Amino acid sequence: MPPPKKLDLIPHEVRQRLAMALQERGFADIVAVTEELNFWLDDAGLEIRIGKSAVGEYSKLLKNQRDAFAMAETLLGDLNIEQESTMHKVLMQMIATAAFQMMNSVAESDNAAWDPKSLAHLSRMLKDLMQSAGMRERLRDDEERRVARKERERLAGEIEQKAHQLGMTRETVHAIKADILGVDA
């Protein structure tokens, strides 16, 4: 098992402060941010030094996360429930393909050993995505039923109005309306 990264060894508060500093500087100015980080570590009485390459990697990771969240927000903000459901299906296919490729590469290597942590993360991601897709399907179905019910109510109201104009009895109009709405008169 590889040793932990130095950034993983620093206190959470310092790592959050580092993330804020990188974000404020547009994920650039790595040398200056690294100097500040090492000053903060000195100030906290920690005898650990972080190199600029580690801060650069962390900056790139944070920027990629921010960009991914922004893209997802943009995509999901412009989609209706049916489009989101379709996107989830495509995403599931992509993840399943990646999982299949990962399994093939491990099986084809000479030292075919599964990394249990990676496998657990992959299976959890698949499970979460499937649950989310199922919820989206239910939401879409609920929305379709709601729209259909509102349309039936609108049509029943129009028919009721026309039926009164044609002189039908109140009981006949209620019976027709109940039939359209699918309820007992």
Side-chain angles (χ1 to χ4, degrees):
M1 180 183 240
K5 294 182 178 185
K6 282 189 176 181
L7 278 174
D8 293 336
L9 300 175
I10 67 174
H12 181 70
E13 300 79 30
V14 177
R15 204 169 31 250
Q16 283 182 320
R17 193 172 174 188
L18 171 63
M20 291 299 293
L22 288 167
Q23 187 174 5
E24 288 169 0
R25 295 178 187 187
F27 304 99
D29 203 10
I30 301 301
V31 174
V33 173
T34 303
E35 289 173 6
E36 284 181 32
L37 171 62
N38 285 316
F39 175 76
W40 299 333
L41 293 170
D42 276 342
D43 203 34
L46 299 170
E47 296 183 14
I48 187 171
R49 296 293 157 259
I50 308 295
K52 62 183 177 192
S53 61
V55 173
E57 284 180 32
Y58 188 64
S59 176
K60 185 176 180 181
L61 173 74
L62 290 175
K63 184 180 183 308
N64 288 343
Q65 281 180 341
R66 184 203 61 185
D67 293 347
F69 287 142
M71 182 184 297
E73 187 176 310
T74 300
L75 284 173
L76 294 177
D78 293 342
L79 296 177
N80 63 30
I81 290 175
E82 188 162 333
Q83 289 169 322
E84 284 184 49
S85 180
T86 302
M87 189 172 85
H88 269 82
K89 288 177 185 175
V90 170
L91 203 51
M92 277 295 291
Q93 290 171 344
M94 290 170 58
I95 290 172
T97 301
F100 182 74
Q101 290 171 343
M102 181 183 89
M103 289 187 295
N104 275 344
S105 68
V106 169
E108 290 173 358
S109 71
D110 293 336
N111 56 352
W114 291 95
D115 174 20
K117 197 173 188 179
S118 296
L119 197 55
H121 286 300
L122 180 65
S123 64
R124 183 176 298 127
M125 184 173 48
L126 284 168
K127 180 185 109 315
D128 291 347
L129 197 55
M130 286 191 301
Q131 283 178 335
S132 177
M135 278 192 332
R136 297 229 181 268
E137 288 289 327
R138 284 190 298 276
L139 284 173
R140 191 191 73 201
D141 292 345
D142 290 347
E143 178 66 10
E144 287 174 357
R145 281 192 295 275
R146 186 189 67 77
V147 168
R149 187 188 76 240
K150 282 187 85 84
E151 182 62 17
R152 282 192 310 273
E153 288 171 357
R154 186 188 67 76
L155 287 173
E158 286 181 15
I159 290 171
E160 183 178 19
Q161 187 178 21
K162 292 289 183 190
H164 283 303
Q165 289 173 355
L166 293 172
M168 291 185 173
T169 65
R170 184 179 195 102
E171 293 78 26
T172 304
V173 171
H174 281 300
I176 293 171
K177 185 175 180 182
D179 191 44
I180 292 170
L181 294 176
V183 295
D184 290 333

